[in-house]
Each structure stands twice: as structure tokens, then as C-alpha cells.
């Protein structure tokens, strides 16, 4: 057993509380990771939805980065001391997993959104002995330790700062993967991104990497549009303008690819309407909003909702690390760090749009003992 100081959400509308969580020893297929830092993603806030109330109390966080502390007896390819990024969990033996599409694992929601193992256990308890959800995306990494599986623990080079890498596990992988794994654009293509948060800006960087000719970024925050221009957007549009569709299309005649990260019905509608024929619209915004569209608006056009950039984390995350190391994927431009004790402020800054990607720095267990 190990005791972890973790951020726990007890009530849907309450703040996080930093408290001691006791984690079980890793099972044969599990890994114990000492978390160094964890990104905050909008999906963490889904835990506040009334529909997910059964999850609470819950340790959240699903963009962890850290160091392997212990491995179960059946775990291969990971050793104590390895630097790792934590991503989404998958089973490894269903049809989507076997065909290299683990983001569509038959047990994706169970493994990532229930806060529990597949057998219903959480592997974690609060000080009073009651259970706490601690398997959020197979990790719950807003705390000193996370119990993960070999499937969602990705080894990364040890010469890249762990304080930066956590967001590769979800948000950045989602945006970059939507472009690199689903759209696969080339020079001569054009692409529009709706919502220039961490996911959208990762898509902008990936589009630039791919040599995309015209990259249009749409957002309501001027600061984000400025950042989008620095990261590779060739044109920006303020989403509050009345003629967003006309501005996005410009003189392209329609875009080859559009990407919606907002989950807002009216925006998703524009993202489809802005497409050329043929054209592909990728949606990732996990909101509750719906949109309707005339069937004929889909002539020659495809719309798909993508989880986790359709990535195989073990292949894709090291690829993104390599791009970062070579200066082609300036991940550091998106990140702002917060101490664990300031996690509520990090969430507020993320919701308001003031910060693109908050990363929570986790106090090491040694630091804490000497306090
Ligand atoms: Zn599976
Ligand atoms: Zn996420």
C-alpha cells in the first residue's frame, strides 16, 4: 500500500480537497507511477456533470507524467525508474484494440470514465476507509501516485522534462491525432480549426507539421488567435463575428478538413458547412449540444467524432515527443504550471479561457515529509 496526497472531488459543485488516498499494491498487470505533473483537460470537468455523480468522490486527472515506482509481475517493457506519460486505458484484446484502434475499445467508457477497474473495484480508499474513484482514465493522476495499467503507461525518453509531457496523454494527442491520424492532410490541403484551446492549437501545430497550405483558426479569445498565428495558423477568424462561415471559407471554395473542439451545436454546423466536396469534418468536443443539418449538406462530405486522436499511445506519444525535441511541436507554448494546492484556480483559469493548458505540479513525497 502507498499513501498519496491527491486532489479529490467530493461534490459536483464543490472545490477539490487535497487529501490522503491509500492505493493498493499494483496487481500483476498494473503499474504504480509516482506522478511529477498532470495536465488539466476539459474532460476532467465532465466529472462535475450530474450524470456522472456516481463517480464521486473521485481522484481525477488524466494527463499524468511521472516515474515508474513499481510494476506488477506480468508487466513487460516497463521498469522501475522509467519516465512515463499516462494515457487512456484499453483492453488489448477486443476487435478495435487488435486492429490498432484502442480509442474505440469495447470497454473504453468502463475503463476510462467509471473511475473503477473493470471488476468494479477502485483500488483506493480515503482516510475514513471509504472507497474513492481512482481509475479516471486508468490513472487519476492529480496526486502523488497513480495506479495504472501497462496498456496506458507509455515510456518516454528521460531527457525531456516530465513537467511538460503530461498533456500528450490526452488533450494534445486528441488534437494532433485528429490531424495526423484521421485527416492525414498534405501540402496543398487547407484546414480550419474551431476553438483554439489546447486541443485546437495542437491541431494547428500538427497541420503546420504536415505542410498544410492554409490553416484557419477560429476562437472568441484574441490572445488565443494571436497564439494560433504564432504556432502556424495562416489566418484567424473571431468566432463572435456575424459572418464566420464566409470568413472561414474565404477564397478557398471550401476546406478539405475542418475540426471542431467546441462541442457547440451552432459551431459544429458551421464546421460542416465550411467543407469542400469531398471534405472531412472531425468532431471532438464532448459537450451535450446537438446540431441538425440537411442531408444534402453531407453530399461528398464526411463527419466523424474521434476519441483520443484515434491514436495508439505507445506509438503516437513518442512520435510527438520527438517532434517537440526537434522544435517542430512547441508544446511548451501552451502550458502554464500550478501547484497542487492551487488546483481550483487552475480549473477556473481553464474554464475562463485565461490559460490554454494548466499543468499541476505534484509535490514529491520526499518534499512533503521534510515540510
Ligand atoms: Zn479493447
Ligand atoms: Zn482529456
Amino acid at each position: 500500500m502507498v499513501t498519496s496526497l491527491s486532489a479529490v472531488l467530493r461534490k459536483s459543485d464543490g472545490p477539490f480537497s487535497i487529501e490522503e488516498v491509500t492505493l493498493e499494491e499494483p496487481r500483476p498487470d498494473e503499474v504504480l507511477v509516482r506522478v511529477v505533473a498532470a495536465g488539466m483537460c476539459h474532460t476532467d470537468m465532465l466529472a462535475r456533470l450530474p450524470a456522472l455523480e456516481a463517480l464521486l468522490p473521485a481522484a481525477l486527472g488524466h494527463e499524468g507524467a511521472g516515474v515508474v515506482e513499481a510494476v506488477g509481475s506480468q508487466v513487460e517493457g516497463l521498469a522501475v525508474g522509467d519516465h512515463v506519460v499516462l494515457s487512456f486505458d484499453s483492453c488489448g484484446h477486443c476487435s478495435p484494440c487488435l486492429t490498432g484502434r484502442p480509442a474505440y475499445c469495447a470497454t473504453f467508457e468502463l475503463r476510462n470514465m467509471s473511475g473503477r477497474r473493470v471488476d468494479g473495484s477502485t483500488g483506493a480508499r480515503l482516510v475514513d476507509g471509504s472507497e474513492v474513484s481512482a481509475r479516471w482514465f486508468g490513472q487519476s493522476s492529480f496526486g502523488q501516485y497513480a495506479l495504472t495499467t501497462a496498456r496506458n503507461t507509455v515510456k518516454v525518453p528521460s531527457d525531456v522534462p516530465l513537467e511538460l509531457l503530461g498533456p500528450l496523454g490526452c488533450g494534445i494527442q486528441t488534437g494532433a491525432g485528429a490531424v495526423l491520424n484521421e485527416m492525414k492532410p498534405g501540402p496543398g490541403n487547407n484546414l480550419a480549426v474551431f476553438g483554439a484551446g489546447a486541443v485546437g492549437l495542437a491541431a494547428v501545430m500538427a497541420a503546420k507539421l504536415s505542410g498544410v497550405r492554409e490553416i484557419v483558426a477560429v476562437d472568441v479569445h484574441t490572445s488565443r488567435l494571436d497564439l494560433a498565428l504564432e504556432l502556424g495558423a495562416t489566418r484567424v477568424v473571431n468566432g463572435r463575428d456575424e459572418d464566420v462561415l464566409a470568413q472561414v471559407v474565404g477564397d478557398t471554395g471550401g476546406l478539405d478538413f475542418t475540426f471542431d473542439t467546441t462541442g457547440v451545436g451552432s459551431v459544429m454546423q458551421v464546421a460542416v458547412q465550411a467543407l469542400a466536396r469531398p471534405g472531412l469534418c472531425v468532431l471532438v468536443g464532448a459537450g451535450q449540444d446537438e446540431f441538425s443539418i440537411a442531408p444534402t449538406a453531407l453530399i461528398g462530405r464526411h463527419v466523424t467524432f474521434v476519441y483520443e486522436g484515434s491514436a495508439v499511445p505507445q506509438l503516437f506519444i513518442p512520435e510527438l515527443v520527438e517532434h517537440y525535441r526537434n522544435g517542430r511541436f512547441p508544446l511548451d507554448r501552451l502550458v502554464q504550471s500550478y501547484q497542487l494546492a492551487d488546483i481550483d484556480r487552475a480549473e477556473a483559469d481553464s474554464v475562463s479561457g485565461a490559460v490554454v493548458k494548466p499543468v499541476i505540479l505534484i509535490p514529491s513525497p520526499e518534499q512533503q515529509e521534510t515540510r
Side-chain angles (χ1 to χ4, degrees), residues 40-44 62-63 136-137 169-171 174 199 308 357:
M40 181 172 273
C41 173
H42 283 277
T43 306
D44 286 309
H62 65 284
E63 291 185 347
W136 183 242
F137 285 75
C170 182
T174 296
V199 176
E308 300 288 350
K357 174 55 76 178

Side-chain angles (χ1 to χ4, degrees), residues 299-320:
I299 295 169
R301 295 164 167 172
H302 292 265
V303 181
T304 180
F305 194 107
V306 166
Y307 263 178
E308 300 288 350
S310 295
V312 176
Q314 269 77 2
L315 299 176
F316 195 56
I317 290 174
E319 190 182 316
L320 293 179

Side-chain angles (χ1 to χ4, degrees), residues 145-216:
Y145 292 97
L147 211 44
T148 68
T149 71
R151 295 270 312 164
N152 74 330
T153 306
V154 180
K155 189 173 169 177
V156 292
S158 57
D159 63 341
V160 186
L162 285 168
E163 290 78 2
L164 265 186
L165 299 185
L168 294 177
C170 182
I172 303 299
Q173 167 169 268
T174 296
V179 173
L180 299 174
N181 299 327
E182 285 289 336
M183 300 174 184
K184 302 189 176 88
N189 283 142
N190 52 44
L191 188 157
V193 172
F194 294 81
V199 176
L201 290 171
V204 167
M205 293 193 287
K208 187 182 179 194
L209 257 179
S210 307
V212 168
R213 188 181 50 187
E214 195 159 354
I215 305 169
V216 188

Side-chain angles (χ1 to χ4, degrees), residues 12 35 65 70 74 81 84 94 99 105-106 125 161 170 193 236 244 255 261 277 290 298 315 343 345 347 358:
S12 313
V35 181
Q74 291 169 6
V84 290
C94 69
T99 51
C105 175
R125 293 191 182 273
C170 182
V193 172
V236 294
V244 171
L255 295 127
T261 70
R277 299 180 193 172
E290 297 183 353
L298 293 174
L315 299 176
I343 190 167
R345 190 159 57 83
E347 182 182 359

Side-chain angles (χ1 to χ4, degrees), residues 41 64 107 134-135 155 166 173 177 188 197 226 253 273 363:
C41 173
T107 52
R135 306 290 297 187
K155 189 173 169 177
Q173 167 169 268
D226 290 343
Q273 289 166 336

Side-chain angles (χ1 to χ4, degrees), residues 90-98 101-102 104-108 111 151:
S90 59
C91 78
H93 45 72
C94 69
S95 170
C97 280
L98 289 172
R101 310 275 287 175
Y104 308 101
C105 175
T107 52
F108 183 93
R111 287 170 184 275
R151 295 270 312 164

Side-chain angles (χ1 to χ4, degrees), residues 126-151:
L126 296 170
V127 172
D128 66 4
S130 61
E131 274 200 311
V132 54
S133 296
R135 306 290 297 187
W136 183 242
F137 285 75
Q139 53 181 288
S140 292
S141 47
F142 289 152
Q144 290 170 320
Y145 292 97
L147 211 44
T148 68
T149 71
R151 295 270 312 164

Side-chain angles (χ1 to χ4, degrees), residues 45 91 122 185 232 258 264 267 293:
M45 293 150 212
C91 78
T122 67
T258 57
V264 175
V267 179
I293 202 139

